[in-house]
Amino acid sequence: MDQSMKWTVVGQVEDIPRQGSRVVRTESGNIAVFRTAADEVFALEDRCPHLGGPLSQGIVHGKRVTCPLHNWVIELSSGEAAAPDEGCTGSIPVRVENGTVSLGLAGFRPGLGRGGCSHG
Amino acid sequence: MSTQQIGMGNHGMNSTAPRERLVVVGNGMAGIRTVEDLLAKAPGRYDITVFGAEPHPNYNRIMLSPVLAGEKTFDQIVLNTRAWYEENGIRLISGDRVESIDRAARTVTAVSGLTVGYDKLLLATGSNPFIIPVPGVDLPGVIGFRDLADVEAMLAASKSGRHAVVIGGGLLGLEAANGLNINGMTVTVIHLMDTIMERQLDSSAGTMLQRELEGRGLTFLTGANTAEIVGEGRVQAVRLKDGREIPADLVVLAVGIRPNMALGQSAGLECGRGIKVDDAMVTSDPDILAVGECVEHRGMTYGLVAPLFEMAKVAADRLAGGAEAAYAGSVTSTKLKVTGVDLFSAGDFTADKDCEDIVFRDASRGVYKRIVLKDNRVRGAVLYGDTKDGAWYFQMLKDGEDVTPVRDTLIFGQGFGGGEAANPKAAVAALADSAEICGCNGVCKGAIVKAIKEKGLTSVDEVRAHTKASASCGTCTPMVESVLAVTLGAAYAGEAKAKPMCKCTDRTHDEVRQAIKALGLKSIPDVMQRMEWKTADGCHSCRPALNFYLLAEWPGEYKDDYRSRYINERVHANIQKDGTYSVVPRMWGGVTTANELRAIADVVDKFAIPQVKVTGGQRIDLFGVKKEDLPAVWADLNAAGMVSGHAYAKGLRTVKTCVGSEWCRFGTQDSTGMGIKLERMTWGSWTPHKFKMAVSGCPRNCAEATIKDLGVVAVDSGWEIHVGGNGGIHVRATDFLVKVETEEEVLEYTGAYMQLYREEARYLERTAPWIERVGLDYVRTRIVDDPENRKALHARFLFSQTFSQDDPWAERASGGVDRHEFSALAQVG
């Protein structure tokens, strides 16, 4: 990961419910920050690649979230939709240190699908 | 089932002449199978009376292990319902043990004093557990494993006690131990020999099995001799001859069975180890036959189901007047019914010097196979970890086939050489017509193929009904499917199996639900652990279902897991396509007031809510509310006395009403008042899917009650209750359930119906498809015909309502519940 990445503190891991998500508002749109049952933290643009549903409102299972609108399943680590659906939403770098969650927001633009999208 | 033409004189008998009387002592698998075979051969020949010591209809005794393990319910293992006895004109006297036979007078007398005369008597009294001759075997808490009462005793013991000791590491003992372990007990198996199941397994397979079961938490003490069962007033421990003492709250004796021949003995019938019978299954009294575990035939006694059924066939033929059928003894094979353990054993494998062994081991796959040959013929087979060729070896063993031509590849199984070893269809296609498919019932491939072709069968259920194949232990079901596939080719559509809940599990909704109840599972991780979920924490499909099943099973005890709720139920509003929410306050029975309307108007202005719409359920829906505004919107609506309308819930939605007799010139009853009472009783309840009601004040039915999950229609003399309607994609009009006179009855039927739906329908199954699946008659039987059950269901409904009628809006607006849901984690930039 980019050594010169600028990290923005957004809160504590405990602020996010296990198997749940909280929203970080930015000028460029909402980011959904997820915490899995195993306490891993991921951040995605809060827009399903299908029809823009708020992924932060979905059910978190394993390292995936299911969109509340039409049940697309999105990989938290990459933002990629699970087959047979195809699509990708932007993934934001996350750093957790001593329970503090920071996001690497440099260059985050909604709809760019930056970060983990292999073909983005 | 073909109805027997009892007393129709179709066998040349004068229908007024008294028929011969057959009395069957023993309502178990052997006795009733004989009766079934007899009814097929000579319907109407006898007046049949069946005595059973147990208070149940005939059930599949070999499936008691799955019942103990929580994999099946008792209802699922009943073989002949009481209706079957009635339909066939059989008098069933259950729960009354026959105590004596008067052979001179040709009567039997039961414990109750009931005396019944016979012309032919069939004894099928089964077996008793062998009681080891040590002190303390009569202490409370020491039981066998033979009947349902034993299973119930074990389940009860697992709730109150911790330690179980099973004496005997044979087939039965291991199944009991496994079941007790699943039920949460610490289980020790005490076995006299050095290897478990030594009668069926060699020491290699026995050791592999022991390792597997130890991995599941069982403890084994082999080469261990029980000296005494100790306890004061109740069992407390088992003491071994070497002085060791193992604590025990429950002791299961499973060292073996002994033919139950007491009745035959006391009647003076010739007995050895069992009641002696000849090849025609006739005892030393020509009018008395005997079948099953209670008999001794050619010096042998049997404890497995296949020989019993072979005996039944012969006895039935003799009772029907035949003179030829003869029983020649059985060669038996064994499978252990422990889920996840594949084990097959047949014949004799105690090798002598003339025997040759072929052994195959694959330690990494956990596979062990051993074939014992004598004079180039299969004499015994033990398969562990891969049992699919068991039937093939068993067939060669029974046929005494010379295996010289296939000897080199024999151990690799039937499919070897064709390159299709993994294809069970090819293996079945290659079987001869005489090859046995169902060992329990002795059904060969040819008989199944014939039935499929002649009767046009297309499913395993149909094959089971017509041939009995796979009707007992069920392990041959995949082979029966293959026979169907091979016989019908492309026309075989496969089995309409109950699908697994989702990709996280192989279990069906019904199986999971039963396990929650039977095993007392009380959390989602608990269910996933015990039911062997394949994912760490499930998915969006199974988690909400499990959450509902737990909530429905343990009201007041299970804590709702809001992270396993769909978003609408989690935030108590309906998500819309743009991520905003809609809000529907409750209006009881569709009635509102000026104050409520004013408060709604104020909320709309204050929060700039873009659209207000009247719904089909007679409510007002506020569209476009931002998520962060929800608590404040609710607070304002709460202040005007309104609560959540649950428009988002898999639960009670609305009770729609017409104005009824208060205003309407046609109205016959106060439908609005009835609707409000119904809504007050049912609001807040969770059900498998949404549940809508309506009450119409007359048969003109302005409230459209006949397309609701439950609709009430007033008539002059009372109320009609209709159920199972749906106005969705597939419109379904309701079925008429019952007519009642009072409002109290309407409430009671409604509560009972909702509870039955809640307890038995699958998650996300609306009432319409549920009723089509289970049948209206079933619902009637449970609710209309059985007032006690109706009242019990209604009481359970009201009980669970005491935990669910808190307004979720108030909890969040002022109670601070789930506050994190409605605010951002951070605002950046």
Side-chain angles (χ1 to χ4, degrees), chain A residues 8 10-11 15-20 22-27 33 37 54 56-62 66 68-69 71 73 105, chain B residues 537-540 543-544 561-567 570-571 575-577 579 581 627-628 820-821 823-829:
Chain A
T8 307
V10 293
D15 296 338
I16 312 164
R18 275 209 181 107
Q19 295 178 309
R22 295 287 299 275
V23 168
V24 171
R25 299 196 188 292
T26 78
E27 287 171 338
V33 186
S56 57
Q57 313 296 294
I59 290 180
V60 176
H61 48 99
T66 298
L69 293 194
N71 285 342
V73 176
L105 292 172
Chain B
D537 57 350
C539 70
H540 63 269
R543 283 230 310 270
D561 177 30
Y562 87 107
R563 284 181 296 275
S564 297
R565 290 278 194 183
Y566 294 120
I567 181 64
R570 195 164 82 222
V571 302
I575 196 166
Q576 302 300 323
K577 60 187 269 189
Y581 288 82
K627 191 182 180 192
E628 58 268 30
H820 61 82
E821 271 291 348
S823 63
L825 177 65
Q827 173 90 40
V828 176

Side-chain angles (χ1 to χ4, degrees), chain B residues 190-206:
Chain B
I190 296 175
H191 193 55
L192 189 58
M193 302 296 167
D194 289 326
T195 321
I196 57 173
M197 279 184 77
E198 80 286 348
R199 283 172 64 191
Q200 291 89 13
L201 301 182
D202 61 6
S203 62
S204 290

Side-chain angles (χ1 to χ4, degrees), chain B residues 664-694:
Chain B
C664 178
R665 65 204 162 102
F666 298 114
T668 60
Q669 310 274 359
D670 176 15
S671 48
T672 311
M674 183 75 251
I676 291 172
K677 283 183 187 135
L678 278 172
E679 194 160 345
R680 291 273 179 200
M681 179 180 84
T682 56
W683 77 276
S685 57
W686 299 109
T687 44
H689 209 307
K690 56 190 170 187
F691 194 96
K692 300 177 177 180
M693 292 199 264

Side-chain angles (χ1 to χ4, degrees), chain B residues 67-308:
Chain B
V67 172
L68 177 63
E71 292 160 0
K72 290 202 182 291
T73 62
F74 177 68
D75 285 348
Q76 287 176 316
I77 68 164
V78 169
L79 290 171
N80 303 83
T81 60
R82 288 183 192 276
W84 176 84
Y85 293 89
E86 275 170 34
E87 280 163 26
N88 289 288
I90 297 166
R91 181 178 176 207
L92 170 65
I93 300 161
S94 56
D96 198 1
R97 185 188 304 274
V98 171
E99 270 199 323
S100 62
I101 304 169
D102 183 338
R103 285 164 58 195
R106 292 195 184 191
T107 60
V108 300
T109 301
V111 174
S112 65
L114 179 67
T115 298
V116 177
Y118 66 82
D119 297 301
K120 292 280 182 194
L121 177 62
L122 177 69
L123 299 180
T125 47
S127 63
N128 293 321
F130 177 64
I131 307 294
I132 50 172
V134 299
V137 288
D138 47 1
L139 281 170
V142 181
I143 60 171
F145 183 22
R146 290 305 295 158
D147 57 27
L148 185 66
D150 293 330
V151 171
E152 283 168 349
M154 284 191 240
L155 290 174
S158 71
K159 293 203 170 67
S160 58
R162 267 191 331 129
H163 297 281
V165 171
V166 176
I167 302 180
L171 194 66
L172 210 54
L174 295 183
E175 291 185 3
N178 178 62
L180 291 168
N181 182 47
I182 286 174
N183 281 293
M185 295 192 90
T186 308
V187 184
T188 306
V189 178
I190 296 175
H191 193 55
L192 189 58
M193 302 296 167
D194 289 326
T195 321
I196 57 173
M197 279 184 77
E198 80 286 348
R199 283 172 64 191
Q200 291 89 13
L201 301 182
D202 61 6
S203 62
S204 290
T207 307
M208 289 175 86
L209 176 63
Q210 184 174 331
R211 294 243 171 81
E212 164 68 30
L213 295 174
E214 281 169 348
R216 297 177 182 211
L218 300 187
T219 304
F220 287 89
L221 300 177
T222 51
N225 208 338
T226 305
E228 185 184 357
I229 299 174
V230 288
E232 302 216 349
R234 186 178 169 82
V235 61
Q236 286 166 332
V238 174
R239 185 176 301 140
L240 302 180
K241 287 241 163 94
D242 61 14
R244 278 182 290 176
E245 226 176 72
I246 301 107
D249 303 305
L250 172 77
V251 172
V252 179
L253 292 182
V255 288
I257 54 170
R258 290 293 175 268
N260 180 8
M261 57 183 175
L263 185 64
Q265 254 172 336
S266 67
L269 296 177
E270 204 178 312
C271 292
R273 289 159 62 209
I275 302 167
K276 286 194 175 177
V277 293
D278 61 15
D279 288 357
M281 308 314 295
V282 177
T283 67
S284 55
D285 179 331
D287 289 323
I288 304 180
L289 288 77
V291 290
E293 292 176 337
C294 64
V295 309
E296 176 188 325
H297 172 261
R298 297 190 189 176
M300 294 286 289
T301 61
Y302 294 94
L304 296 167
V305 71
L308 313 193

Side-chain angles (χ1 to χ4, degrees), chain B residues 509-522:
Chain B
H509 280 268
D510 296 349
E511 285 168 344
V512 169
R513 238 181 150 171
Q514 269 158 25
I516 288 172
K517 198 183 175 89
L519 304 180
L521 306 180
K522 295 196 176 162

Side-chain angles (χ1 to χ4, degrees), chain B residues 548-606:
Chain B
F548 167 74
Y549 292 148
L550 289 162
L551 207 55
E553 188 62 40
W554 314 111
E557 202 174 333
Y558 173 71
K559 189 176 172 301
D560 186 39
D561 177 30
Y562 87 107
R563 284 181 296 275
S564 297
R565 290 278 194 183
Y566 294 120
I567 181 64
N568 289 357
E569 295 187 342
R570 195 164 82 222
V571 302
H572 296 273
N574 295 57
I575 196 166
Q576 302 300 323
K577 60 187 269 189
D578 62 352
T580 65
Y581 288 82
S582 81
V583 168
V584 181
R586 193 165 288 288
M587 286 176 179
W588 307 97
V591 176
T592 185
T593 63
N595 268 340
E596 287 182 354
L597 292 172
R598 209 170 279 125
I600 290 171
D602 287 344
V603 162
V604 170
D605 285 344
K606 181 170 165 186

